Amino acid sequence: MRTAPTILHLDMDAFFASVEQASKPSLRGKAVIVGGLGPRGVVATASYEARVFGVHSAMPMAQARRLAPNAAYLVPRFAFYRSISEQVMELLRALSPLVEPLSLDEAFVDLEAGAAAWDERSARLAGAKLRADIRAVTGLTGSVGLAASKMLAKIASEQAKPDGLVLIEPGTERALLEPMPVRTLPGVGPATGDHLRRAGIHTVGELAEAGEDELVRLLGKAHGHALYAMALARDDRPVVAEREAKSVSVEDTYDVDIHDRVRVGLEVQRLADRCVRRLRGAGLSGRTIVLKVRRYDFSTLTRSETLRGPTDDPAVIREAAARLLGSVDTTGGVRLLGVGVSGLADYTQEDLFAQAAGERPQAPVEEPEAVPAHEQQAPVERRWPAGHDVRHAVYGHGWVQGSGLGRVTVRFETPDSEPGRVRTFRVDDPQLEPADPLPLVARRPGQGSQAGVSSVSASVPKRWSAGGGGAATSRP
């Protein structure tokens, strides 16, 4: 087990909400909540200003609205978040070949493997430089934890939040862990935490004092051994550079339960096509088709079917999903549907086309629906998700504050402008169109595209810090 604090854990501060604040000058310093805005939506991220009111991720959106009725509620822009995440991950890969992303805004880095750090001093310098580079390239802040293991590095980054750096010095690990609640350790969820609490074990120190035999008796062999080792600050898990995707899936939650069996079937077909688009976008195929159904009473059913070999054929996947749906009772209503593919591979098996009923040419991923002539005369009202980018032929770039009753309200501003003015238009205004997001940091001549990362010079461009403090600081 290494002793130098050369494992780094980066956690971007309130990532989705911070991106929105950096993108929208009028929201800086204000409560911002990103997530599903329907009656059954949940909070994806809340800014630190919103957390003051008790709002947190995974909270039902209806509860968040009660706690913070005056916050800005925005629909996620995942494609934009991914592009900024890739900028951050490229900075991490410049430090080491061993980067283990955990999500869009979180990753482990083995600094020693990239010769970026070898002792306490060099690790602290590498962490401080990384935070400065992230700020310069993205305009955002991230918190960094440095320690001799993944578990301790993650604990350190939690202590660093927001916008800080914490290094756990060698030899202080046990003293740091002992007063912490058992839920601090990886693998201790609500159920395990309650089980330990009933046994009189509340802190990591009490976990260590209980002894390995007692923990094995309480939790089983594998879990007991693992938690005892972690309670003693032992964690030998390596940073894994590439974690292969185990499945590709999509799902939708519906504001109103679906009772019509035909509608349920059409939704499953639509989800199967979306799943195929993700498969093909990743250059993958899969053998096992999975259907997820959450019913009106919140019971969740999962059905799966394994094919003879991997496929990315939409006809095959649609038919398999339809067969799986046939085994599920949906008469009481459906609130969530999902389609996934697992058993992934990077090739397909040609004869799988025959698995669909009868021989047919490969179906397109997206098939236009036949629309009766009398319905073609009524154009579908354009949707304007809150927080998404638009451009007006006269007023320029802006973002949607809200829409309804045939009107859409837009605030016209850009990341490097002053807070902008608000105007309202008809939803079908021909001068108003959806737009791509603007870069958070203005690029100088010669810099790369939004998705890429150019070298960071000593001259830092104009930037905005959202969800964190001012200048980068280190806390021991």
Side-chain angles (χ1 to χ4, degrees):
M1 180 175 176
R2 76 178 73 198
T3 57
T6 54
I7 299 296
L8 180 148
H9 181 261
L10 170 71
D11 197 351
M12 299 295 290
D13 298 324
F15 183 52
F16 296 172
S18 291
V19 169
E20 298 299 344
Q21 288 177 317
S23 182
K24 302 170 172 63
S26 59
L27 297 184
R28 291 170 194 159
K30 298 181 180 179
V32 174
I33 299 170
V34 180
L37 303 189
R40 291 175 180 163
V42 297
V43 175
T45 309
S47 70
Y48 287 99
E49 296 86 354
R51 296 179 192 187
V52 172
F53 299 98
V55 179
H56 57 77
S57 60
M59 172 182 284
M61 191 61 77
Q63 182 181 356
R65 288 186 184 275
R66 289 193 295 270
L67 293 172
N70 297 319
Y73 289 86
L74 307 177
V75 175
R77 298 184 292 166
F78 287 116
F80 190 40
Y81 305 152
R82 278 192 292 270
S83 71
I84 297 171
S85 172
E86 185 52 38
Q87 290 181 308
V88 174
M89 295 302 165
E90 193 167 340
L91 288 172
L92 298 184
R93 295 185 197 106
L95 287 174
S96 172
L98 293 184
V99 176
E100 182 177 344
L102 303 179
S103 62
L104 290 178
D105 61 341
E106 185 180 2
F108 287 111
V109 184
D110 187 332
L111 296 175
E112 188 175 356
W118 49 92
D119 59 11
E120 182 180 338
R121 180 177 179 276
S122 58
R124 192 182 293 276
L125 288 173
K129 182 179 184 301
L130 172 65
R131 294 181 59 243
D133 287 351
I134 289 172
R135 184 189 290 268
V137 170
T138 69
L140 304 176
T141 63
S143 296
V144 166
L146 292 157
S149 69
K150 291 168 70 172
M151 175 188 74
L152 292 168
K154 184 171 175 61
I155 290 172
S157 71
E158 284 295 320
Q159 293 185 329
K161 282 191 162 294
D163 191 17
L165 182 153
V166 167
L167 183 147
I168 298 178
E169 299 178 1
T172 67
E173 297 92 345
R174 289 284 302 277
L176 175 75
L177 283 176
E178 283 180 356
M180 292 184 172
V182 293
R183 288 288 303 276
T184 302
L185 299 182
V188 182
T192 301
D194 287 344
H195 192 49
L196 291 171
R197 179 179 51 78
R198 288 193 295 270
I201 299 172
H202 301 86
T203 68
V204 177
E206 291 170 346
L207 200 65
E209 289 176 6
E212 190 169 15
D213 291 342
E214 176 65 9
L215 294 180
V216 168
R217 186 186 69 81
L218 287 171
L219 305 172
K221 189 173 181 179
H223 206 184
H225 285 312
L227 282 189
Y228 181 68
M230 289 183 179
L232 299 180
R234 300 172 187 163
D235 178 19
D236 295 327
R237 293 174 299 160
V239 175
V240 181
E242 295 293 338
R243 300 192 305 168
E244 291 186 4
K246 295 181 179 179
S247 64
V248 173
S249 62
V250 296
E251 62 181 42
D252 275 344
T253 301
Y254 304 99
D255 293 343
V256 178
D257 290 348
I258 302 175
H259 293 82
D260 181 10
R261 183 75 179 187
V262 174
R263 167 85 188 283
V264 172
L266 291 173
E267 288 293 317
V268 168
Q269 300 296 292
R270 184 179 60 82
L271 289 166
D273 285 347
R274 280 175 54 195
C275 187
V276 169
R277 289 198 292 275
R278 287 195 179 184
L279 271 177
R280 291 183 170 180
L284 297 170
S285 58
R287 296 181 66 239
T288 301
I289 315 303
V290 181
L291 176 71
K292 178 180 177 181
V293 179
R294 182 167 297 150
R295 300 189 292 188
Y296 69 98
D297 58 358
F298 285 89
S299 62
T300 302
L301 304 177
T302 303
R303 299 287 186 267
S304 64
E305 175 181 324
T306 299
L307 308 175
R308 294 195 300 270
T311 184
D312 65 352
D313 178 18
V316 173
I317 294 174
R318 280 199 298 261
E319 287 201 6
R323 286 194 296 272
L324 294 170
L325 179 62
S327 66
V328 177
D329 180 11
T330 63
T331 53
V334 171
R335 59 188 297 120
L336 177 147
L337 289 168
V339 174
V341 177
S342 60
L344 301 180
D346 56 2
Y347 64 93
T348 59
Q349 193 165 301
E350 295 297 333
D351 65 355
L352 282 175
F353 297 138
Q355 292 190 73
E359 295 292 335
R360 62 170 68 85
Q362 184 171 347
V365 176
E366 297 187 51
E367 295 180 358
E369 296 181 3
V371 180
H374 69 278
E375 293 184 9
Q376 294 178 2
Q377 300 172 357
V380 177
E381 183 177 287
R382 289 192 292 176
R383 297 183 61 189
W384 302 100
H388 282 224
D389 298 83
V390 295
R391 176 168 292 280
H392 191 275
V394 176
Y395 301 108
H397 191 93
W399 57 277
V400 176
Q401 280 201 324
S403 64
L405 301 177
R407 295 287 186 268
V408 55
T409 300
V410 177
R411 185 181 287 274
F412 290 97
E413 59 187 6
T414 64
D416 57 355
S417 75
E418 296 297 321
R421 297 186 62 180
V422 175
R423 297 183 182 274
T424 299
F425 308 91
R426 298 193 320 273
V427 294
D428 59 352
D429 190 319
Q431 293 186 302
L432 188 67
E433 296 291 341
D436 292 329
L438 298 177
L440 299 184
V441 173
R443 295 191 298 273
R444 297 183 300 278
Q447 283 188 307
S449 64
Q450 169 78 9
V453 178
S454 58
S455 60
V456 180
S457 68
S459 175
V460 177
K462 183 177 181 180
R463 59 191 180 269
W464 299 99
S465 170
T473 58
S474 295
R475 299 200 295 267

